[in-house]
Amino acid sequence: MCLGALVDLGVPLEYLIAQLKTLGIEDEYQLRAEKVHRRGQIATKVHVDVTAEKSADHHHHHHHTPARHLPEIENLIKQANLPQKVQEWSLAVFQQLAIAEGAVHGIAPEKVHFHEVGATDAIIDIVGTCLGLDWLSVSELYCSSLPTGGGTVQAAHGRLPVPVPAVVQLFSQRQVTIYSNGIEAELVTPTGAAIVTTLAKSFGKPPKMQLEKVGLGAGTKDLPIPNLVRLWLGKKTPEKLDEIETVAVLETQIDDLNPQAIAYLSEALLQAGVLDVFSQAITMKKSRLGILLTVICALDKIAICENMIFQETTTLGIRRTIQERSILKREIQSINTVYGQIRLKVAYKESINQPITVQPEYEDCAAIARQHHLPWRFVHQMALAIWQEKN
């Protein structure tokens, strides 16, 4: 349904076919699209026709293609010639799903044996959705509250209640706002839940935006309401004062680890693109000295960051909260000095369009100080003075 909404918005089907071919599994499926009606509304239905073994039930609980483990799926994605953002998003979706499946079955994420979502059409759905969002240059994704559905569904582990355990776990991991609309059917699949819980910044009311286009993606089942995914595309309306950003705050306490491991992990997390990482000395139970590690990251990096923390530390659990923060608009400006060029980070409120803070980049000042044997403070103050003189 996500693919249908994206194609309905204008993403060329030919582009998706060409990019997905780099996964190296093109002999397992065929991709096609058609216009269909759902309760009187015209929409786009994208079909992923599996060519290995045809199945009568093409929804999301697949039994007709070989199951894959997470490392195999990750290798397919990494070896494909996909845009960088598409690769990052796709890997994050499967990692988020592996964490949920692992929690349900009580095993490590990398040991998860994907029965349904490791099948060919689910891989195409996830990677194809990421391709479509990237083609549309979507920078932020928001999602409405999600319906729970009801009844039961047949899966690899037998008949399961709806929503299935993996979907419930994904809802819980992201603290998704849910509701019941009284329809006894599966309305959110693990594949769909993994996509939105990984990529969406928040759930509930849409942000203020200038709506430009709407794409309608059709599902297979005939429901009492139109079985559609609606994708609204538009430009976000800037906040009048400060911009509000939704972030994840990950925390864990550790008392049995060499502090050098924390230093290594902090560098790795920063290279992975977290917004901030810091540690504090704390006293834990039985008066043991420990470390409180805090990581602030974008929502689509939660799974990556948690995996890194588990791999590099001895912690057994990570607390997760979703928070909003006010941020100033920032831009990088450059000035020329007699010693060379220095970049400055300038932050300001759009409402008054005046700088609030100006800070020369540390690395630029340090490089000049070392090269010319000058005090770092002198270079820093010189850069500020030159910028203020010009502004």
Side-chain angles (χ1 to χ4, degrees):
M1 295 174 72
C2 292
L3 281 176
L6 289 163
V7 172
D8 205 50
L9 273 175
V11 177
L13 185 66
E14 296 76 14
Y15 169 78
L16 294 178
I17 292 173
Q19 289 291 324
L20 290 169
K21 189 176 181 180
T22 66
L23 289 168
I25 57 173
E26 66 274 12
D27 59 335
E28 298 181 18
Y29 71 94
Q30 289 184 343
L31 203 64
R32 60 186 177 90
E34 64 173 335
K35 290 291 185 179
V36 297
H37 285 86
R38 293 292 181 265
R39 297 283 171 176
Q41 296 187 50
I42 187 71
T44 299
K45 170 68 176 173
V46 171
H47 298 269
V48 184
D49 297 325
V50 176
T51 56
E53 291 180 31
K54 297 292 184 179
S55 171
D57 177 18
H58 174 67
H59 184 45
H60 95 90
H61 293 292
H62 316 283
H63 307 287
H64 48 281
T65 54
R68 292 179 168 97
H69 289 87
L70 178 62
E72 183 181 354
I73 296 172
E74 289 179 329
N75 286 336
L76 284 175
I77 295 170
K78 290 177 181 178
Q79 292 172 8
N81 186 26
L82 299 170
Q84 183 63 32
K85 181 60 70 174
V86 174
Q87 182 185 104
E88 292 176 1
W89 282 344
S90 300
L91 290 172
V93 172
F94 273 107
Q95 287 164 352
Q96 177 92 325
L97 186 55
I99 291 173
E101 291 279 7
V104 170
H105 299 295
I107 58 177
E110 62 271 14
K111 300 295 184 181
V112 169
H113 194 218
F114 290 122
H115 296 283
E116 284 83 27
V117 294
T120 304
D121 40 359
I123 296 174
I124 299 305
D125 283 337
I126 290 173
V127 178
T129 295
C130 295
L131 280 166
L133 293 172
D134 180 68
W135 190 89
L136 290 170
S137 299
V138 173
S139 59
E140 295 181 358
L141 185 67
Y142 296 84
C143 186
S144 65
S145 300
L146 295 174
T148 58
T152 62
V153 68
Q154 186 66 35
H157 294 285
R159 186 156 290 277
L160 299 175
V162 173
V164 296
V167 171
V168 174
Q169 182 64 29
L170 287 164
F171 286 171
S172 176
Q173 287 178 185
R174 275 299 310 278
Q175 302 173 24
V176 175
T177 306
I178 59 176
Y179 68 95
S180 173
N181 58 10
I183 296 178
E184 292 292 298
E186 185 178 37
L187 303 179
V188 180
T189 67
T191 301
I195 291 171
V196 295
T197 57
T198 303
L199 303 182
K201 294 192 67 174
S202 63
F203 295 82
K205 295 181 180 179
K208 292 182 179 179
M209 61 184 291
Q210 180 181 341
L211 187 60
E212 297 178 342
K213 293 180 70 177
V214 177
L216 300 181
T220 301
K221 292 183 178 179
D222 184 21
L223 301 176
I225 61 175
N227 187 9
L228 302 171
V229 163
R230 297 190 298 175
L231 189 57
W232 300 353
L233 185 65
K235 295 180 179 178
K236 189 176 179 182
T237 304
E239 298 286 338
K240 292 188 177 296
L241 296 177
D242 303 329
E243 184 178 348
I244 304 299
E245 181 180 57
T246 303
V247 297
V249 179
L250 310 178
E251 288 187 333
T252 187
Q253 294 158 208
I254 307 167
D255 65 357
D256 57 352
L257 182 68
N258 187 327
Q260 291 176 320
I262 298 296
Y264 175 83
L265 172 62
S266 298
E267 292 178 5
L269 286 167
L270 289 171
Q271 291 177 358
V274 303
L275 301 172
D276 201 1
V277 54
F278 56 92
S279 58
Q280 304 172 62
I282 58 173
T283 302
M284 300 175 62
K285 62 184 178 181
K286 299 182 181 180
S287 298
R288 293 197 301 266
L289 297 180
I291 295 173
L292 173 62
L293 177 67
T294 304
V295 178
I296 303 175
C297 65
L299 301 185
D300 62 351
K301 293 190 179 292
I302 291 176
I304 295 173
C305 293
E306 289 185 342
N307 279 340
M308 294 175 67
I309 295 171
F310 279 127
Q311 290 172 1
E312 299 293 346
T313 73
T314 54
T315 188
L316 299 177
I318 302 170
R319 294 186 299 278
R320 177 197 300 177
T321 57
I322 307 300
Q323 300 181 9
E324 289 186 341
R325 68 172 188 171
S326 299
I327 59 174
L328 296 173
K329 185 174 180 179
R330 287 157 283 182
E331 64 180 31
I332 298 296
Q333 299 180 8
S334 296
I335 59 167
N336 292 314
T337 75
V338 294
Y339 302 105
Q341 190 176 79
I342 296 177
R343 294 168 299 164
L344 301 95
K345 184 178 295 180
V346 182
Y348 57 91
K349 287 186 176 181
E350 286 189 298
S351 56
I352 58 177
N353 200 30
Q354 291 182 357
I356 303 296
T357 62
V358 180
Q359 284 296 330
E361 288 291 296
Y362 167 79
E363 294 294 347
D364 290 359
C365 294
I368 288 177
R370 294 189 192 101
Q371 181 180 356
H372 297 279
H373 306 289
L374 298 169
W376 179 88
R377 284 200 312 149
F378 170 80
V379 179
H380 184 270
Q381 292 168 357
M382 175 191 66
L384 278 176
I386 294 175
W387 185 91
Q388 290 168 353
E389 182 181 346
K390 292 184 176 181
N391 292 274

